[in-house]
Amino acid sequence: MTSTITTAAPAQAQAQAQAPVPAPGTAEPRPQGERRFGLPVATCLVMGNIIGGGIFLLPASVAPFGTISLVAFAVLTLGAIALALVFGRLAHRHPQTGGPYVYARAAFGDFAGFLAAWSYWITTWVSNAALAVAAVGYLGVLFPAIGAHKWSMCLAALCVQWLPALANLAGTRYVGAVQLVSTVLKFAPLLLVAVGGLFFFDPANLGPFQATGQSAVGAVSASAAILLFSYLGVESAAVSAGEVRDPARNVGRATILGTVGAATVYLLGTLAVFGLVAHEKLVSSEAPFSDAVNAMFGGTWGGTAVACAAVISMAGALNGWTLLSAQTPYAAAKDGLFPKVFETRKRGVPVAGVLVTVALASALTVYNYTAGSQRVFEVLVLVTTFTATVPYLLSTAAQIYFLASGRSERVRPGRLVRDAVLACLAFAFSMWLVAGSGYAAVYQGVLFLFAGVLVYAVMAARRQRATDSPAG
């Protein structure tokens, strides 16, 4: 039997090795005078991260299924709201930076926490590269010279990534300001179509309720497979809980308000476009919101307006996702589960995490343009749709564990039934996300997770050596 010498271990190494889970309801301590987000900015963070650039193509993507796709949207919205409510309850009990990582670790231990952090980190930096590449397409509409050569496109994509990273490195007050401004600017044209378009609504444009030969259930499932990932980002406020003022109260409120706000824009915007653009034209449209604006006011200026809105939308999403890409590794590094460099923090921002993740995203972007094959990049993006759901499953499972175990410090008896129903709905929604990823994405995503197991083994061994080694 091997005895463990803990009393003689250096204080710093011992503290890192033990890494206790914070008590429920305990907010993360922060340096005095460091700025935090209020409820409006936290809500904008959620809305901005949920709504990136996909909304500008969604109506055309689901139009081939007919207006039954709106039913799929409604079902997905209910699932996303259930997930948002679960994150709100979890954040109330664990208001620390890290979100799903914190919840999984509190319920199931270090290994589950690491898997949540690892998979979420992969999701953020690969998604950032995808957003930047997509933004270049819209920039090409505004500045045609950008699209003239692959190297000019690559340089533009790198600029789109590094500008939000620099805003993050400047401090949390600048992150919040950029997020607030970009959210307001991008929602103005979206609301113009979503609300104003209803006054120009023509039911004759809607087309058939079911445009395919599938059954109603089959059509809903098929359109849902396209829409499933529209709500990724509901966890944004929970991941950045340590940056939010009064997180036990505001994280849950921001998550719910942001999710409902994004859902409202999604549903109204898609419905308005359906009623503004004839079905046969919408099916083949490459810029449905541009066509909708042109139908409302005439002319051909809609393409430029929507391109501006799309660039602003993706810049805001990159600003928020860049922050999130550093927060989860920061929380894991504090507990000794990620390399210590990710713990470096200045002006409220984990600077090392921002730099490492933007560097990885930049390398992937350069590879995308130099390899000359779009398929490799698309496969990696599909993998993120799976890796993003792993933290969701672990978080909802943690909530179910807290409820089923009857741990009084984490469960309010009066809300037991309601919280249990919401947790089960959110878990089912997360499983639906996994199923919608497709076999190839799940297979490759599991390989990414197994690569993380090696990293965990190295970090766990280091923590054990720090515990076992006597004081020098």
Side-chain angles (χ1 to χ4, degrees):
M1 181 176 181
T2 304
S3 61
T4 302
I5 305 174
T6 55
T7 55
Q12 184 177 3
Q14 182 178 357
Q16 185 185 48
Q18 292 175 346
V21 177
T26 304
E28 184 178 345
R30 302 295 299 276
Q32 186 175 4
E34 192 171 284
R35 294 287 294 273
R36 294 194 181 192
F37 300 148
L39 178 61
V41 172
T43 302
C44 287
L45 183 66
V46 176
M47 293 181 71
N49 285 354
I50 291 177
I51 299 181
I55 187 173
F56 295 97
L57 294 175
L58 275 179
S61 300
V62 298
F65 300 100
T67 52
I68 196 172
S69 58
L70 295 173
V71 177
F73 236 141
V75 173
L76 289 172
T77 298
L78 293 176
I81 291 175
L83 188 60
L85 288 169
V86 169
F87 273 120
R89 296 301 307 144
L90 288 167
H92 180 79
R93 288 184 287 272
H94 295 280
Q96 296 91 27
T97 293
Y101 159 74
V102 174
Y103 316 143
R105 182 171 178 259
F108 308 121
D110 286 347
F111 184 60
F114 172 83
L115 285 181
W118 177 259
S119 58
Y120 195 77
W121 185 55
I122 292 172
T123 301
T124 53
W125 62 264
V126 177
S127 297
N128 280 1
L131 272 172
V133 172
V136 170
Y138 287 101
L139 279 172
V141 176
L142 301 175
F143 308 101
I146 290 178
H149 194 274
K150 69 176 182 180
W151 287 115
S152 60
M153 296 172 67
C154 181
L155 181 60
L158 293 176
C159 289
V160 168
Q161 289 176 22
W162 279 91
L163 288 175
L166 293 176
N168 273 262
L169 293 174
T172 52
R173 70 173 67 185
Y174 296 99
V175 176
V178 171
Q179 200 65 29
L180 187 60
V181 171
S182 65
T183 301
V184 172
L185 289 178
K186 81 177 177 181
F187 274 97
L190 291 176
L191 290 175
L192 172 66
V193 175
V195 178
L198 298 179
F199 292 96
F200 298 86
F201 192 90
D202 184 357
N205 289 329
L206 290 176
F209 181 67
Q210 285 183 251
T212 64
Q214 298 171 285
S215 65
V217 174
V220 169
S221 298
S223 55
I226 298 173
L227 300 169
L228 275 174
F229 313 110
S230 302
Y231 288 107
L232 294 183
V234 297
E235 74 291 341
S236 301
V239 172
S240 296
E243 322 306 325
V244 180
R245 287 197 298 270
D246 191 8
R249 181 185 182 193
N250 284 334
V251 167
R253 294 168 66 193
T255 301
I256 295 166
L257 289 173
T259 303
V260 171
T264 301
V265 173
Y266 274 150
L267 289 169
L268 288 181
T270 303
L271 177 62
V273 172
F274 274 20
L276 287 168
V277 184
H279 180 262
E280 58 274 12
K281 181 179 179 181
L282 183 59
V283 169
S284 58
S285 175
E286 295 183 357
F289 272 80
S290 295
D291 294 335
V293 172
N294 291 337
M296 290 169 63
F297 303 111
T300 58
W301 56 272
T304 301
V306 171
C308 288
V311 170
I312 293 171
S313 176
M314 284 186 241
L318 276 166
N319 181 66
W321 280 107
T322 299
L323 176 64
L324 297 188
S325 69
Q327 296 289 22
T328 300
Y330 162 76
K334 283 177 45 180
D335 298 330
L337 298 180
F338 255 56
K340 191 171 179 59
V341 66
F342 286 97
E343 196 177 345
T344 307
R345 190 185 187 104
K346 293 181 181 178
R347 293 180 291 277
V349 175
V351 292
V354 169
L355 291 173
V356 171
T357 51
V358 75
L360 287 171
S362 298
L364 183 56
T365 301
V366 172
Y367 175 74
N368 174 63
Y369 283 108
T370 56
S373 172
Q374 196 71 11
R375 186 176 179 277
V376 176
F377 190 76
E378 288 174 354
V379 168
L380 288 172
V381 171
L382 281 175
V383 168
T384 67
T385 61
F386 166 73
T387 58
T389 61
V390 174
Y392 291 176
L393 283 170
L394 289 172
S395 297
T396 53
Q399 174 74 334
I400 292 172
Y401 166 75
F402 293 144
L403 295 170
S405 64
R407 297 174 70 174
S408 58
E409 77 277 11
R410 290 181 169 86
V411 180
R412 303 172 87 176
R415 297 181 176 179
L416 179 61
V417 174
R418 187 197 72 177
D419 285 355
V421 170
L422 286 173
C424 290
L425 286 175
F427 188 86
F429 177 67
S430 301
M431 287 296 293
W432 195 13
L433 288 172
V434 172
S437 300
Y439 293 107
V442 172
Y443 168 74
Q444 306 223 15
V446 169
L447 295 181
F448 270 77
L449 290 182
F450 284 174
V453 173
L454 177 61
V455 177
Y456 177 80
V458 173
M459 297 307 301
R462 287 182 178 179
R463 296 176 71 208
Q464 188 61 46
R465 285 203 305 270
T467 303
D468 292 345
S469 56

